[in-house]
Amino acid sequence: DGGITQSPKYLFRKEGQNVTLSCEQNLNHDAMYWYRQDPGQGLRLIYYSQIVNDFQKGDIAEGYSVSREKKESFPLTVTSAQKNPTAFYLCASSIQGPPNSPLHFGNGTRLTVT
Amino acid sequence: QKEVEQNSGPLSVPEGAIASLNCTYSDRGSQSFFWYRQYSGKSPELIMSIYSNGDKEDGRFTAQLNKASQYVSLLIRDSQPSDSATYLCAVKTSDSSYKLIFGSGTRLLVRP
């Protein structure tokens, strides 16, 4: 089955540690995205990538980093510089080009930092 | 001004009623609009997309778009308790990035 796999589902870390969230897709989509969702809030864009080896900052990129070395993979690192990292992180992908192409989401990773 | 605005709710309707969810957006050049449903603790799932002014129907769901008023809505007919969820309005930006900007969502509660 084609889809987007995020792992792990739950992640616990101590404050001050960097942590990397995995996102893999086998939909052959060019574009991939990372969103963050806080309780009772909508989704806010962290980073996105429209093509391999290229990515752009979204609205809340501070304290995060990404890489896009392969079309299928778009890992997100939450660094110790991120002031409030506890949140629900969602990875998504879409066909690049057509403006009417929707985003397809993975199941999310819930990160808790104490 | 927020780019995509929704009433946070909760919107409470009785089972069998029509639920009406509304969304306004600020990017006048936006051409693509989406409604996602999100159950508590889960990821969003696409229910409707709309690109042209007017109505688009899919089963019990109807999306309505008015670009002149920068307004998009979702109607759910014959609401069921299983429709209870948060509904997210999303708008694609008109620049070359084609980013998808989300509203904060409207929580719908369908009472049995």
Side-chain angles (χ1 to χ4, degrees), chain A residues 49-74:
Chain A
S49 168
Q50 295 173 305
I51 197 168
V52 174
N53 292 322
D54 189 40
F55 47 83
Q56 288 77 39
K57 293 182 180 180
D59 301 317
I60 55 165
E62 186 176 348
Y64 299 98
S65 66
V66 294
S67 63
R68 187 86 188 278
E69 296 175 3
K70 297 187 299 181
K71 187 175 184 177
E72 303 79 22
S73 178
F74 192 39

Side-chain angles (χ1 to χ4, degrees), chain B residues 12-72:
Chain B
S12 181
V13 300
E15 184 174 355
I18 296 175
S20 178
L21 305 162
N22 304 315
C23 172
T24 58
Y25 60 94
S26 61
D27 184 348
R28 188 169 286 279
S30 293
Q31 299 294 321
S32 303
F33 308 87
F34 306 88
W35 283 98
Y36 285 82
R37 177 176 61 199
Q38 186 177 27
Y39 291 111
S40 181
K42 302 296 185 183
S43 63
E45 54 179 324
L46 179 71
I47 31 175
M48 289 286 289
S49 58
I50 186 166
Y51 318 116
S52 304
N53 278 328
D55 295 358
K56 179 182 177 183
E57 189 175 315
D58 184 359
R60 295 187 296 113
F61 298 99
T62 298
Q64 300 174 316
L65 175 61
N66 184 326
K67 290 183 182 177
S69 301
Q70 295 174 245
Y71 177 92
V72 58

Side-chain angles (χ1 to χ4, degrees), chain B residues 86-100:
Chain B
T86 296
Y87 290 80
L88 300 168
C89 173
V91 178
K92 273 221 173 170
T93 59
S94 57
D95 60 22
S96 59
S97 71
Y98 295 136
K99 293 185 295 185
L100 199 59

Side-chain angles (χ1 to χ4, degrees), chain A residues 9 33 35 37 40-43 45 48 50 59 88 90 94 96-103 105-108 110, chain B residues 2-3 31-32 34 36 38 41-46 49 51 88 92 96-105:
Chain A
K9 187 173 181 180
Y33 308 79
Y35 286 87
Q37 187 175 36
Q41 303 289 316
L43 279 62
L45 183 63
Y48 63 103
Q50 295 173 305
D59 301 317
F88 187 42
L90 288 157
S94 72
Q96 182 60 7
N100 57 3
S101 55
L103 262 60
F105 285 90
N107 289 331
R110 195 167 298 278
Chain B
K2 281 190 174 180
E3 294 181 72
Q31 299 294 321
S32 303
F34 306 88
Y36 285 82
Q38 186 177 27
K42 302 296 185 183
S43 63
E45 54 179 324
L46 179 71
S49 58
Y51 318 116
L88 300 168
K92 273 221 173 170
S96 59
S97 71
Y98 295 136
K99 293 185 295 185
L100 199 59
I101 307 299
F102 285 82
S104 56

